Each structure stands twice: as structure tokens, then as C-alpha cells.
Amino acid sequence: MLEKVEGVYPPSAALQESALVDEARYTEMYERSIRDPEGFWGEEARARLDWIKPFTKVKDASFQPGNVSIEWFADGTLNVAANCVDRHLATRADQTAILFEPDDPNEPARHITYRQLHAEVCKFANILEDLGVRKGDRVVLYLPMIPEAAYAMLACARIGAIHSIVFAGFSPDALSARINGAGAKLLITADYAPRGGRQTPLKSNADAALLHCPDDVKMLVVRRTGGQTTWVADRDFDYGELHAEAEDRHRPAEVNAEDPLFILYTSGSTGQPKGVVHSSAGYLLYSAMTMQTVFDYKDGDVFWCTADIGWVTGHSYIVYGPLANGATTVMFEGVPTWPDASRFWQIVEKHRVTQFYTAPTAIRALMGKGPEHVEGCDLSSLRILGTVGEPINPEAWAWYSRHVGKDRCPIVDTWWQTETGGHLLTPLPGATALKPGSATLPFFGVEPVVLDPHTGKEIAETECEGVLCIKSSWPGQMRTVWGDHARFEKTYFSDYKGYYFSGDGCRRDADGYYWITGRVDDVINVSGHRMGTAEVESALVAHSKVAEAAVVGYPHQIKGQGIYCYVTLMNGVEPSEALEKELRAWVRNEIGPIASPDLIQWAPGLPKTRSGKIMRRILRKIAENDYGALGDTSTLADPGVVDDLIENRRSG
Ligand code: 6R9
């Protein structure tokens, strides 16, 4: 049982006893990892990964602006797919590697063993090579949550190609921008993506995207539903046909530790999403080690991370982390609320899931549907619960702990980012006393610091608040922004020199626990998805009736943050409900449904400084309904604008 002692939940005696890492071991290992990172990570990398050529150098990293360079195990070589698949064949060929649960609960689940996974990945690798994909080439994946997505990722890794996954909810425009950004040769998609009983026409979206890409980009199509599609001869290839002919053996390529494993586009505070580049060895080591220790994963467990592979959480904790550990990982195609709000719990019961990892937004949504959906299911298999994506509010924590964990399972609140590859701040279930809402303490090798946002200096006091930075490199850290190293340096290493800047604010309490307070830049967190307000703004101003737009986040019951848009229309255009609908549809179409505006306010003018800069701080306060705290408005060019905005504020 979880017991509350002086406001915290210490690990139960049973867990301290049985867990891979207890408190004494955490302290000892953490200290060693900071004192002797070379020794610590060198040992972990030898123990956890199979190398083709062993490394002799462990760490070579500089955070100095103008010279930012991050390398781990740089002279070693390995193959990531061989580490995730081949090496398990000797001991666990018949164990389930991927447990696929389809969208439709009446369609049977599929258990893919490591032996089958090996054959599938080899076939896929041969197909890729036949289509002309070579080491270092980029391949974009735009796929449903189906096993073929994992095969495709691992097949790329097997031949040393770099994958870039685009979330299947993104629009054709977002897709083409990412294909072109990465200079991809091949797009892998499916006919349709079934989700929540509906079907997204991926192939036709992909067709639309390729209109804006170079002619030589090919398309490989997995038939998920068998639904109708149009076909372009010599450009489109049918996966099923090629699969029938493909050899199920393939020799994995020898890949350098620092060769990129994947690119993943993510939102930043300005303009276009950036292509986060992850390495092969450092990333794999870090995702594998965090997966095992943070979730206390043991042989025989069934691990389920509910993320989509289109996000980093799916990369690290559905595919790479679990498979590197020889785990059984659940892959769920559907949504938590279809056919009804008990779907997650039905799946936990059906597959005897032992670790369950989801986002606070999903918990809040299910909480709203009432506990009866949970109560009917047998959740006794669960041992560890986890959350990721945003801070968890106390009500959601209490509900999750009581109704899902039956006050038996620790909840690991894991703070990390696309850029970090794996968890940076997180409890370890057998070692860390929990405080609801806190991501607690650093993982091994991670040196968090809190900086004063004004002076940029480290705050020495334990209890403090400021911006969260990391002082030294860890193996899972991103290496660069694809094609734009200068942007990498500027975004993460220039505001606070010598540190990695996370973009998050945080508080540190008297026990040294970290509490994330949210982004300090123009990134908002909508249902656990990162969204640059600048992206939504540029979509809005691309509409012919919009003169200007400013977008901010505001507190939203279920989504955490909602998207609040201030829109100034072109001269002579009248605001209307119809236009509001049109703009909403427009943004969905430009970016995808996740970027759909929640509230649109017609703004005759926006608050600006005399030099013409939009004062977002004020817009944020208005959207948050917090006028008392508007702060200094003396630099406004036209203070009257603010009164009008306050008067006509929208709420939802
Ligand atoms: C893994 C992932 C990263 C941003 C991050 C922060 C927020 C993530 C959190 C959390 C509080 C947690 N975030 N986990 N905030 N507590 N446990 O979500 O990556 O999509 O790149 O988002 O999400 O603001 O900076 P990504």
C-alpha cells in the first residue's frame, strides 16, 4: 500500500526490497554518475548494449556557445536494430515483443514474438534497400499505430537510414514541410488510419503532401484497412506485394555511435518546427536504462505506454527503450474513449499490463467520465503507473492513484522533452518518496540547476524558483537541429551560457524536489502536445481575411492549456460566427486537429509597444482572466486597446 508520511509517499517496504534500485543504491549511483561520468556511462554502455567495435572514448561534450558539440562513445560502432531484436533471439525468441491491440476491440490482438519481429524487420530492411534507401538517407513515416510502424523504424535503423516520424494527425502541409525539411527519399504511409472508430485517409493526405515535394520522392503504402486509394505508377509501392517477395534475413549495417538514428520535428518558440536529431548509441543507452529503472521493468512484465509513435514518448518508451531491454511492449491503435471510456482499463485487464504510462490530459478526460468505467475492470496486474507531458494536478493524481492504482502503485511523474531523449527528472519507484505534482529528483548523470532569469546565475539555495537548465551532457541529449546547428546553439545554449536551457520554469523545494511550473517561452502545452504559438499565428495570417493574429495559452480543464487566438481582420471584413468556424477549420487544415483554436477573439487592435512589438504578456493575462496582474503597461502605444480586449474577452 502507498502510505502517506508527512506529506510524502515513501516507497513501500515491499518495493524497496524488490525494486531494481532502492534509495541507498540511487544515492550511491547518482553520486558516482556525477563524480565520474566517464566511468559510470562507460560501464552502463558496455553492459547494456552490444557493440560491433567497442568504444574507447566515453564523453566529449561542450556547451560553450560557438562551439557546442556533444559526442558519446564516438569511436564505437553498433547496430540499433540488432540491439533491439537480434541479440534477444538466443534467450527470448518466443517471447512477445510487441503486443498489438487494434482500434476495434473485436479485431483480435496480435502477439509478435522476437523471432517474428526479427523476420519482419529483415524483410522491411530488404524492401527499403530495394527501393534505393541507403545508409544516411532520410525516410519519413506517416503511419497509424500498427506493428509495421515499429518494423519500419527498426528497418531504417538496421540499414543506417534516418527516420523522421510525422504524427498521423498532421495535415498534408505539415507533412510536406517535414519531408522537404529532412530531404527525405521515401515516405512510408498506410491507406487509412483507424482511430476511435473513424478512419483518417493517410494515403490521400500523403498524395496531397507529395504535390509539394520533389518528384523523386517515393511512397510505400501499407494496407491497413484495404480501403480505396488512388495510385501513382512508378511512385507508389504496395508494401504487401513487396513483403510477399522479401527475404527474411538481412545483415545489419555497422553504424557509428554518433550517426543519427532519427529526426523528430518539434515546436519551438519561433516559426518553423525544428528537426531534433538523436544519436544511435547514446540515445539507445539512455532510453533503455531509463525504461528499465524508472518503470522497474522485469522479465515477464507487460509494459504499456499509451503515447503515439509520432511523439518522442512513443519512440523512447514504446519502441527503443522496451525492445532494447527485451521487453513486451503494448502498442495500441485506438483512443481511450472509444467504444467507451473503459477501453484503457479493458486493455490492462485483457493483457495483464504491469506498467502503465500515460498523460495527465488523458487521466483528466477519463476522470470526467466517472469512476464506474474503471471499477468494472480487473486492474490487479498493475504495479507501476507513470505520467508524462505536463505537470499533473493534485485532483488527477489522486484519482489516478485511487481508481487505477488502488492506492497500491507508485506514480512516476517523468519530466523530459523531445530534446532530452529520455527522462531527466523522475522518481525511481523503489527509491524515491513521491510528492504529487513533482517530477522529484534527477536521473543518473543529470545535473539540473535553477537559474535566476534576470542575472542568468545559478541559484545556490535549495529552495528557489527560476528557469530550469542542465549543467552537463547526458547520453540521450539531442545532438543538433537537422541542417541548422546555429539554430541548435541559439535555441538551447545562448540565453544562459554554458548550460542547456530547457524552456521550462521550475521551483525547487526544501528537499531538493523539482516542480515544473510550465514553459517560459512561447510554447504551449495542449493535451500534452507541444505547440508553438507562432505556428498557429502564421497559419491564421495565411488566411486572406486575417490581418494580424496573436496566440497564447490559457488554462483549460481537460487539455491543460487551450489555444486562445486574438484575430484582427482585414479592413472591411465583418466578424461572424461563420468566419470563426472557417478560421478554425483553416488552422486544422494547415497544421492538424491538435492545433484547432479553442477560443477566437476579434481584436480591433493588439497591444503593442511603440516599436511595434506585440505585448504577449498582456494578452496572456487577459486570456487567463487575470487583469489585476497586467503589469507594466506604460510602454503601450495605445492603452485603449487593452480595455477593449478585456471587455470582449472570450471564455470557454
Ligand atoms: C516528453 C515530452 C516537453 C515539454 C516540457 C514540459 C512539458 C513534459 C512533464 C512536463 C511537467 C512533466 N512536460 N513532461 N511538465 N511535468 N512530467 O512531453 O516531450 O513533447 O517535447 O514536451 O512538456 O514543458 O518542456 P515534448
Side-chain angles (χ1 to χ4, degrees), residues 388-391 413-418 504 516 519 525 530:
V388 57
E390 54 179 319
D413 177 346
T414 61
W415 175 82
W416 60 296
Q417 311 177 295
T418 307
D504 280 323
I516 304 299
R519 302 286 304 195
N525 194 321
R530 248 166 96 160

Side-chain angles (χ1 to χ4, degrees), residues 461-484:
E461 288 79 28
T462 308
E463 245 184 301
C464 63
E465 186 159 348
V467 295
L468 176 59
C469 289
I470 313 292
K471 204 170 170 167
S472 60
S473 185
W474 63 97
Q477 184 173 22
M478 75 182 281
R479 301 300 198 252
T480 189
V481 169
W482 181 257
D484 197 349

